[in-house]
Amino acid sequence: MRMNLPRIVVAGLSGDSGKTTVSLALLAAMREQGLRVSVFKKGPDYIDSAWLGAIGGTTCRNLDTYMAEPEVVRARFFRSADGSDVALLEGNRGLFDGKDARGTHSTAELSRLLRAPVILVVNVSKMTRTAAALVHGCRTYEPDLRLGGVILNNVGGNRHQRVITESMEMSGIPVLGCLGKLGGTSAVIPGRHLGLVPPDEQGGREAFVAGLLELARNSLDINAILDVARSAEGVDIDLPELPRRKDTNLRIGYFRDSAFSFYYPENIEALEQQGAKLIAISSISDQRLPDVHGLYIGGGFPETHADLLSSNRSLASEVRDASERGMPIYAECGGL
């Protein structure tokens, strides 16, 4: 089938370049325009994905060419994005950073696999024309990678912005946005030892979205960015039919709360495809274990909820008793 899907990859020169802030602001602005957005994160990743899904109003899926074959990743992307108006994928690390010196499993490699144009977020703190040289190098380093433009981050003021913008345009690189000094991503989204605080632990969602919208309106050329997404070429792809869901009476409980939130949607869907009914349980507020045949406890931040978890003795006792009776329990490590 032929798919003409508008799509972009938001990448950076390094980690902490501002990719997540830009991606969230873009998602908020796109949704304000009434666009149906599909959201992806170059994985493996849990916390950035949770934020992207929360602001995008949809399930964010990880695309990981290390954990899955490239054609599986490609099919997953286009199947999940089918029916959306635009797909946004946030990269990780630097654009060309991968497993080895060839950049295997890099954001650039994933962008080529999906034939998606890249918008590069560049931290321009304490430099001007050199930023244009760095971006020019990215554009020519792997010529088959399509660089649709740049978004400047940590711009110091009007003169700083003017000099860098003119330098970029002299090199033929469109500037699609300019962000001032926000104090790092943690100034927008609170951070801690493993990165960002998950959205399940962050209150004031309406005010946060309002802040993202203000950032997008003041700092990003949304229409130009959407034009880059719409310039992505059509692709021919065969999407195999999904197997029919099995019919069983199996019930699997899983902890889903601010303490345990690290789940890939594909794992939940795989269990459902096999006929299981997934029942969400709060390890913090639920006092009893529901009638289930097994228990799935994903990763998260139990260490930051130690007091609440340890005080829920009733549920802990029921989980222990179920384990001693032989109930299958799959538990991942937390965020330690």
Side-chain angles (χ1 to χ4, degrees), residues 189-266:
I189 312 170
R192 61 178 174 219
H193 58 288
L194 286 182
L196 306 179
V197 174
D200 286 344
E201 299 183 48
Q202 177 71 10
R205 183 72 57 84
E206 289 185 5
F208 178 67
V209 173
L212 290 173
L213 284 171
E214 183 178 4
L215 181 66
R217 294 183 190 119
N218 295 337
S219 307
L220 303 176
D221 189 338
I222 303 299
N223 291 330
I225 291 169
L226 287 171
D227 285 343
V228 172
R230 291 166 181 145
S231 72
E233 63 182 288
V235 296
D236 293 310
I237 185 168
D238 293 324
L239 299 178
E241 288 188 18
L242 294 173
R244 293 183 60 185
R245 176 172 172 169
K246 296 181 180 179
D247 186 15
T248 74
N249 294 318
L250 184 66
R251 298 181 301 280
I252 298 178
Y254 72 112
F255 284 2
R256 184 67 180 88
D257 48 46
S258 57
F260 300 97
S261 60
F262 291 0
Y263 296 94
Y264 291 126
E266 289 80 8

Side-chain angles (χ1 to χ4, degrees), residues 90-316:
E90 182 191 338
N92 73 340
R93 303 298 180 183
L95 176 59
F96 299 106
D97 299 334
K99 186 184 76 169
D100 50 34
R102 295 183 178 85
T104 307
H105 308 302
S106 67
T107 296
E109 185 178 84
L110 181 58
S111 301
R112 286 194 299 272
L113 176 68
L114 304 178
R115 298 185 186 178
V118 172
I119 292 176
L120 194 62
V121 181
V122 184
N123 183 345
V124 298
S125 179
K126 298 182 180 180
M127 63 177 166
T128 54
R129 189 166 178 255
T130 301
L134 290 170
V135 176
H136 176 75
C138 289
R139 187 175 61 175
T140 58
Y141 189 60
E142 293 183 357
D144 57 341
L145 182 71
R146 169 131 183 265
L147 181 60
V150 298
I151 293 172
L152 309 179
N153 190 21
N154 277 319
V155 176
N158 291 335
R159 180 185 177 277
H160 191 202
Q161 177 177 331
R162 177 178 56 79
V163 174
I164 298 178
T165 300
E166 290 179 2
S167 300
M168 291 287 181
E169 291 174 348
M170 288 170 64
S171 300
I173 302 164
V175 175
L176 305 175
C178 297
L179 281 68
K181 294 183 179 294
L182 301 175
T185 301
S186 61
V188 180
I189 312 170
R192 61 178 174 219
H193 58 288
L194 286 182
L196 306 179
V197 174
D200 286 344
E201 299 183 48
Q202 177 71 10
R205 183 72 57 84
E206 289 185 5
F208 178 67
V209 173
L212 290 173
L213 284 171
E214 183 178 4
L215 181 66
R217 294 183 190 119
N218 295 337
S219 307
L220 303 176
D221 189 338
I222 303 299
N223 291 330
I225 291 169
L226 287 171
D227 285 343
V228 172
R230 291 166 181 145
S231 72
E233 63 182 288
V235 296
D236 293 310
I237 185 168
D238 293 324
L239 299 178
E241 288 188 18
L242 294 173
R244 293 183 60 185
R245 176 172 172 169
K246 296 181 180 179
D247 186 15
T248 74
N249 294 318
L250 184 66
R251 298 181 301 280
I252 298 178
Y254 72 112
F255 284 2
R256 184 67 180 88
D257 48 46
S258 57
F260 300 97
S261 60
F262 291 0
Y263 296 94
Y264 291 126
E266 289 80 8
N267 289 346
I268 300 295
E269 291 164 358
L271 292 170
E272 292 175 334
Q273 192 66 43
Q274 294 300 312
K277 179 180 180 181
L278 274 291
I279 300 173
I281 304 168
S282 171
S283 63
I284 297 171
S285 60
D286 287 341
Q287 302 295 311
R288 302 294 304 273
L289 195 65
D291 182 17
V292 294
H293 301 102
L295 190 60
Y296 177 12
I297 305 176
F301 289 105
E303 68 275 18
T304 65
H305 297 72
D307 291 342
L308 289 172
L309 293 173
S310 61
S311 66
N312 193 353
R313 297 183 179 274
S314 175
L315 182 63

